[in-house]
Structures are given as C-alpha cells and as structure tokens.
Amino acid sequence: MQEAMLSVRFATPEDAPALRAIYAQSIETPVTFEYALPSVEAFAQRIRDLSATYPYLVCQAQGRAIGYAYAHRAWAREAYQWDAELSIYLDKENTARGIGKRLYGVLIALLRLQGVRTAYGCVTLPNEKSEGLHRSLGFQPAGVFHNAGYKCGKWRDVGWYEKQIAPYDAQPRPLLPLSQAPQEAVRAALEAF
C-alpha cells in the first residue's frame, strides 16, 4: 500500500459501521475479551463517549477505513488522570505494514498534548504482533495478569505494557480534554502520520 493513499483523522459516530466491521474480525478470537459484537449504535456511542476527552482515530486508505486506535482513562480514580490505556484494531489485510506503529505514534503525540504522562497497552498473551508493536515503540513490560479472562475455550493471561510519554513533574496540571489542547499542535500531530 502506497504511503500517499493513507490518511488519519478523528473518528465520528458515522464511522461506527466501518470500524465495527474491523472490530468484528476480533470477536471470535482472544484479542478482545468481549463475547458479542456490539450493535452499530452501541459502537457509535463508544466513539462519542471516548472522543469527548480522548483521541479516537481512524486510518483510511483511499477513503476506506482500514484501522482505528483510541485512548481512554486507564483507571477511574482522580490520581490516575495522567494515565491512558491505548487500543488499536486493524483490518486483517492491513497488519504488519507499519500502520499500527504510525497510528500509535499519532495517538501518543495527541495524549502528550493533553498532559498524559504514561501510556499503557493491554495484550492477551500470546500475541506476537501486538507484543512486537509495543516493544517497537519503546513500551516496557509492566506485568502479567494470569488467567485474567476466559475466551475461546481457555483461560487467558494478559500482559501490560507501559511507556512514559512526558515528564513526571511535581505539580501536574489537570488533564486537558483533547478539544482544549493547542489546536495547531493537534493538526500537526495528525499531519505527521
């Protein structure tokens, strides 16, 4: 796939059918611990909910969605506001082409603008592609939750990866919703894809 054919932008609820179709490829696998594919409306609501604060990106090739990535708060308590968990899903025909690395790169740049300090990835083990993606971007193993979920007929471990993406200053400002981040820098991060 030629570089010029690829683009990245913020997802909208109207992208739900296309992104849901990509996600559907993982439902019958241990990649996601969700058992049933959400409805289009439920998927659209997820995009709305997450996009209110965090980046939710869609990668397109010639106008067709081929992958997406998003972030969300890693844990609920206020002291965790500077952490974000990242997720990425690519159409099965578009893996191992560097697209995931590029999408994560944009996602991390946007999270920095918001004030996130640590990015986390959660990977059902084993998953060579996802583990390799995280390692290639400088994520370090943070630990393994053993037998964390039951999917596809067996108990599954999940590995957690972490990456410091900004300094841990003594008096951090509250996390900014993406809409309040410097918009010129937001545009530059998208264009860097």
Side-chain angles (χ1 to χ4, degrees):
M1 183 169 308
Q2 295 178 358
E3 297 285 322
M5 298 159 119
L6 296 176
S7 62
V8 67
R9 62 173 173 77
F10 292 114
T12 68
E14 290 72 31
D15 292 310
L19 302 188
R20 178 182 177 265
I22 293 168
Y23 185 63
Q25 297 172 13
S26 297
I27 286 293
E28 299 297 324
T29 75
V31 168
T32 177
F33 277 9
E34 197 158 23
Y35 278 31
L37 185 63
S39 69
V40 171
E41 181 48 44
F43 210 93
Q45 190 60 48
R46 289 178 184 185
I47 294 170
R48 279 190 285 277
D49 291 346
L50 293 173
S51 296
T53 304
Y54 294 96
Y56 201 124
L57 304 173
V58 59
C59 178
Q60 295 181 296
Q62 298 179 318
R64 184 178 68 85
I66 61 167
Y68 65 98
Y70 61 88
H72 61 86
R73 192 168 181 157
W75 297 281
R77 303 281 190 237
E78 191 172 1
Y80 293 122
Q81 68 183 285
W82 297 278
D83 302 328
E85 183 182 343
L86 284 54
S87 292
I88 187 166
Y89 292 90
L90 298 175
D91 178 83
K92 65 182 177 181
E93 301 298 320
N94 290 286
T95 62
R97 295 182 176 187
I99 297 167
K101 192 171 187 175
R102 291 172 64 187
L103 263 175
Y104 251 26
V106 174
L107 196 58
I108 289 168
L110 293 169
L111 291 169
R112 262 191 215 108
L113 295 173
Q114 292 183 260
V116 170
R117 303 314 199 277
T118 307
Y120 292 93
C122 181
V123 179
T124 306
L125 301 177
N127 183 333
E128 289 180 29
K129 288 181 182 179
S130 188
E131 292 173 79
L133 170 66
H134 286 89
R135 283 192 305 272
S136 75
L137 288 166
F139 282 75
Q140 299 295 316
V144 174
F145 292 1
H146 299 282
N147 301 308
Y150 187 84
K151 183 82 186 276
C152 299
K154 68 185 268 191
W155 288 100
R156 305 288 177 165
D157 294 347
V158 293
W160 283 89
Y161 289 83
E162 64 185 358
K163 178 178 176 145
Q164 178 183 344
I165 63 171
Y168 300 112
D169 46 345
Q171 295 295 321
R173 286 185 252 178
L175 184 77
L176 287 176
L178 188 58
S179 62
Q180 293 178 20
Q183 292 305 295
E184 185 174 309
V186 168
R187 283 189 296 279
L190 290 171
E191 290 168 6
F193 177 77

